[in-house]
Amino acid sequence: TGFLADQCGQIWRVRGRDAVGGIGPWSSTGSFVLDLPAPPAPQPLLPEDGVSLPSVATSFDWSEVADPAGVAYEVEVASSDAFAAPIEASATGLADSAWTPPPLVDASRHFWRTRAVDGVGNVGSWSATRSFTIDLGRGFYVGRGQGGAGWVDPCLDAAGGWAFRPG
């Protein structure tokens, strides 16, 4: 007896004892891994909190989390920060820390969150909730890149190229 170490492989076997004290042979061994903690919450990355997006089509990205049993991700997008029904878009069992849902149905404010589920079914906490607004009157959002986050206006600049606006 004693404490079992989390994430360590354990091996076990049994044998019986009869009413008069006779002891039988050991069984074949079995093994298991004790996996108590759920994976940590991912950190939402894109879309950034409070941003306005120019399209009903958007992608989501979050930090990867590690767990010895492996992880899959769940994502929810809703029109309420309480994530009450109906959920506008969702996915489960995602292997990657990014997801592109079908286009959202309206130009309005949306909320999103993600969580990890490990390979033995432990469900982690939801990430911080982030919001974004779909504004169909803006240009194309570039996201994070070498030039930073910002917008490319649908109008050409003086040199005949796309105009980039930070933020």
Side-chain angles (χ1 to χ4, degrees):
T1 63
F3 293 102
L4 299 176
D6 184 40
Q7 304 299 337
C8 291
Q10 307 293 327
I11 298 174
W12 61 272
R13 64 184 181 164
V14 297
R15 66 181 176 177
R17 178 177 293 175
D18 64 24
V20 292
I23 297 175
W26 286 105
S27 69
S28 57
T29 60
S31 65
F32 65 94
V33 173
L34 182 63
D35 183 35
L36 295 177
Q43 297 300 312
L45 301 174
L46 294 173
E48 295 170 339
D49 195 31
V51 73
S52 289
L53 301 173
S55 172
V56 292
T58 190
S59 294
F60 299 87
D61 188 21
W62 54 91
S63 65
E64 293 183 0
V65 298
D67 188 280
V71 295
Y73 300 98
E74 297 180 352
V75 185
E76 291 184 337
V77 180
S79 58
S80 161
D81 62 357
F83 292 87
I87 299 297
E88 296 179 54
S90 65
T92 60
L94 298 170
D96 294 321
S97 62
W99 174 59
T100 302
L104 299 171
V105 295
D106 64 354
S108 64
R109 188 167 183 204
H110 303 275
F111 299 87
W112 74 281
R113 64 186 182 178
T114 183
R115 68 181 174 186
V117 179
D118 73 15
V120 295
N122 293 318
V123 179
S125 298
W126 285 110
S127 68
T129 297
R130 298 294 171 97
S131 70
F132 62 96
T133 302
I134 295 176
D135 180 356
L136 299 177
R138 294 195 73 177
F140 303 97
Y141 184 69
V142 188
R144 295 182 186 187
Q146 291 179 344
W151 296 92
V152 175
D153 284 328
C155 305
L156 297 177
D157 64 14
W162 293 100
F164 178 77
R165 265 188 300 146

